[in-house]
Amino acid sequence: EKHADAMLSLARLHMDRDELEDAKKQCSALLKFDLEVEAATMMLADIMFRSNEFDEAIKYFAQILERNPNNYKALEQLILLVRRAGRLLDTKKKGRMSEATRFLKLAERSSARASFDAGFHYCKGLFCRYSRNLTEALEELNQARKDGEWGCKAITQMIEIYLDTDEVGEELVSSNQKKADNVKMANELRKELSEKGTEKPVKLQLYAAYEQLCQQTKASVENAVNLFTDILNNEKDSVSALLGLSLALRLLKQDAKARNHLKRISKMQYNSEEAEEFEKSYLLLADIYIQSNKNDLAQELCRKCLTHNKSCAKAWEYQGLIYEKEASYADAAQVYEMAWQFDNQRNATVGYKLAFNFLKAKRYIDAINICHAVLKIQPGYEKIKTEILEKARGSIRL
């Protein structure tokens, strides 16, 4: 027992050096003698996570949460893991509640204080963000943002919601009120984060650059290019800066330069700390390949993305686009359905594509059902009514 602290410290040292197998041995020894059970289990789960052994990692975090449902560090990791394993959302058809939903409910029931705990609000906000309930996510994260332990993480999540690069298209805009409002909110939160003094300066510089990018005017995007370039002069392998620069160059119609930066990222060693940036880089390059009819290369990048995150709706969507271009409508519908589910049935554009491919595959009832679901979230979507719903109904009557 007196050696438990030393063994735990040694395990942490191995973790810091990325010597995962040696760290695993120390943790297993601690568990064998029933010492430092929670800390050792947390570390084992982290080892499994970093080794991409999602199912094993989920099992360890679930064990911790069964014993202590209000361990919010474990709950945070579990939410991140089940998302990567493609198990974040409840499966309505099978009537299965996801681990994330189950342990969030358990945390709420297990403590009368849960509704006042910043950790609980942060975890709920994280879950809502990845479930595409962005308004609710911001509300939950806002309740955690003043907290000493969870505040910085909550602010970071809020900034990333406001600076959503998935909303950055391929065209510059003269002005856009929604984009301006989002950038203004991100700017205020960045200043708040800066005042806390815990975030690395380069992270704050990246957010400032993304603020310029997300305004999408010619002047702001050119500013973004300069800011990202400055960051890369000091941090030449920053995936976030390379991605931002590629997005900016694409808006400026410099696709060849963007492609070169993205190809460089695709050859870099993947790491879970920059997971989001790696995924977005793979998909941006896949999009460029799809537009130049290099479908095999695009498919390879989509698969690479899904290896690390099975919940990545955009990767499923791009695979659907490839099948659709090849007139393989049944296959396209199958993967568009995955994109629709992983977007929590909240992305009207994906819903349209799914309904269209159901129509082309002569699955008329399914096409009609998806049209109704899309119209529920976007009632004014006339195109889906005239181009799919009416045609599907007409085909059934024939």
Side-chain angles (χ1 to χ4, degrees):
E1 201 167 319
K2 62 185 177 183
H3 299 304
D5 284 345
M7 288 168 77
L8 204 56
S9 296
L10 186 56
R12 285 199 183 101
L13 185 63
H14 285 310
M15 287 284 282
D16 291 341
R17 291 176 175 173
D18 215 28
E19 297 162 354
L20 301 185
E21 204 53 45
D22 292 324
K24 191 175 178 180
K25 284 175 188 170
Q26 293 295 327
C27 292
S28 298
L30 284 163
L31 290 174
K32 186 179 177 182
F33 297 108
D34 213 25
L35 301 169
E36 295 287 352
V37 171
E38 189 161 309
T41 308
M42 276 287 279
M43 212 174 292
L44 261 178
D46 196 26
I47 291 164
M48 297 301 175
F49 179 40
R50 283 161 66 169
S51 307
N52 277 352
E53 295 177 42
F54 296 147
D55 289 339
E56 280 298 302
I58 290 166
K59 187 175 80 178
Y60 280 115
F61 281 121
Q63 285 173 5
I64 295 166
L65 290 164
E66 293 284 6
R67 286 196 296 269
N68 177 10
N70 302 106
N71 182 332
Y72 297 120
K73 285 181 180 173
L75 184 54
E76 175 195 13
Q77 293 301 320
L78 180 106
I79 290 166
L80 293 170
L81 270 167
V82 293
R83 174 177 174 249
R84 299 208 166 278
R87 288 159 43 183
L88 180 74
L89 302 169
D90 301 340
T91 312
K92 295 182 179 73
K93 284 182 183 175
K94 296 178 183 175
R96 184 180 68 80
M97 184 188 287
S98 78
E99 292 97 338
T101 306
R102 182 163 82 85
F103 284 113
L104 278 166
K105 286 179 183 288
L106 190 60
E108 198 164 16
R109 285 200 307 268
S110 300
S111 167
R113 281 201 49 78
S115 60
F116 302 103
D117 277 337
F120 176 74
H121 287 294
Y122 174 81
C123 290
K124 201 169 174 189
L126 192 65
F127 175 76
C128 289
R129 180 189 173 187
Y130 292 136
S131 306
R132 304 298 296 165
N133 295 327
L134 299 183
T135 304
E136 193 177 339
L138 289 167
E139 287 169 3
E140 292 292 341
L141 293 165
N142 193 48
Q143 294 196 61
R145 83 175 223 255
K146 299 294 184 187
D147 184 70
E149 183 181 0
W150 295 94
C152 288
K153 279 187 166 188
I155 292 170
T156 297
Q157 291 289 337
M158 291 174 80
I159 291 172
E160 287 174 10
I161 290 170
Y162 284 121
L163 301 178
D164 183 4
T165 54
D166 285 346
E167 298 295 318
V168 175
E170 295 173 47
E171 302 296 330
L172 294 166
V173 296
S174 53
S175 65
N176 181 301
Q177 193 56 49
K178 189 187 174 193
K179 287 181 190 294
D181 290 344
N182 284 348
V183 167
K184 186 183 175 191
M185 291 302 299
N187 180 275
E188 287 173 10
L189 288 162
R190 174 170 59 86
K191 287 174 183 169
E192 194 175 316
L193 195 59
S194 177
E195 284 164 13
K196 287 182 181 284
T198 53
E199 200 59 74
K200 291 178 183 174
V202 69
K203 189 79 173 172
L204 297 168
Q205 288 166 2
L206 281 164
Y207 286 145
Y210 273 101
E211 284 166 25
Q212 292 295 311
L213 173 72
C214 289
Q215 288 178 60
Q216 263 179 264
T217 64
K218 190 170 189 294
S220 71
V221 172
E222 285 171 348
N223 282 343
V225 168
N226 293 332
L227 291 169
F228 286 126
T229 304
D230 288 345
I231 293 164
L232 287 163
N233 287 336
N234 297 314
E235 305 254 351
K236 65 183 175 66
D237 290 328
S238 166
V239 179
S240 189
L242 285 166
L243 168 64
L245 181 57
S246 302
L247 284 160
L249 289 168
R250 207 166 178 216
L251 284 166
L252 297 171
K253 303 301 179 192
Q254 297 177 34
D255 277 21
K257 285 185 183 177
R259 186 176 63 242
N260 289 337
H261 291 307
L262 294 166
K263 281 167 84 170
R264 188 179 150 211
I265 295 170
S266 73
K267 290 171 187 168
M268 288 164 73
Q269 178 65 47
Y270 176 91
N271 69 74
S272 54
E273 282 181 18
E274 293 182 290
E276 299 283 331
E277 289 80 8
F278 270 105
E279 286 166 27
K280 288 184 175 188
S281 301
Y282 297 156
L283 293 171
L284 189 58
L285 184 54
D287 190 23
I288 290 170
Y289 282 146
I290 290 168
Q291 291 193 16
S292 52
N293 290 316
K294 295 178 180 175
N295 291 345
D296 289 346
L297 292 172
Q299 277 278 25
E300 194 181 315
L301 286 160
C302 289
R303 286 193 205 98
K304 193 174 183 178
C305 189
L306 291 166
T307 302
H308 299 295
N309 179 10
K310 291 182 176 67
S311 293
C312 184
K314 186 68 83 175
W316 292 108
E317 183 185 345
Y318 282 171
Q319 286 193 322
L321 185 57
I322 292 164
Y323 284 127
E324 188 180 333
K325 285 178 79 175
E326 293 168 352
S328 300
Y329 300 117
D331 291 330
Q334 194 174 354
V335 286
Y336 276 136
E337 191 162 20
M338 299 296 283
W340 175 244
Q341 296 302 336
F342 285 125
D343 261 331
N344 204 10
Q345 302 181 13
R346 287 172 179 271
N347 187 326
T349 305
V350 172
Y352 177 91
K353 291 175 181 177
L354 175 57
F356 174 78
N357 281 275
F358 275 150
L359 178 70
K360 298 293 276 186
K362 297 183 167 56
R363 290 174 60 178
Y364 303 123
I365 300 292
D366 290 325
I368 290 167
N369 289 338
I370 296 298
C371 287
H372 286 311
V374 170
L375 289 165
K376 201 171 179 181
I377 55 170
Q378 198 168 314
Y381 202 158
E382 289 300 320
K383 190 179 176 186
I384 204 168
K385 287 183 190 174
T386 55
E387 294 190 6
I388 301 174
L389 184 58
E390 289 170 11
K391 288 180 182 176
R393 282 173 174 162
S395 298
I396 288 171
R397 283 196 290 272
L398 285 172

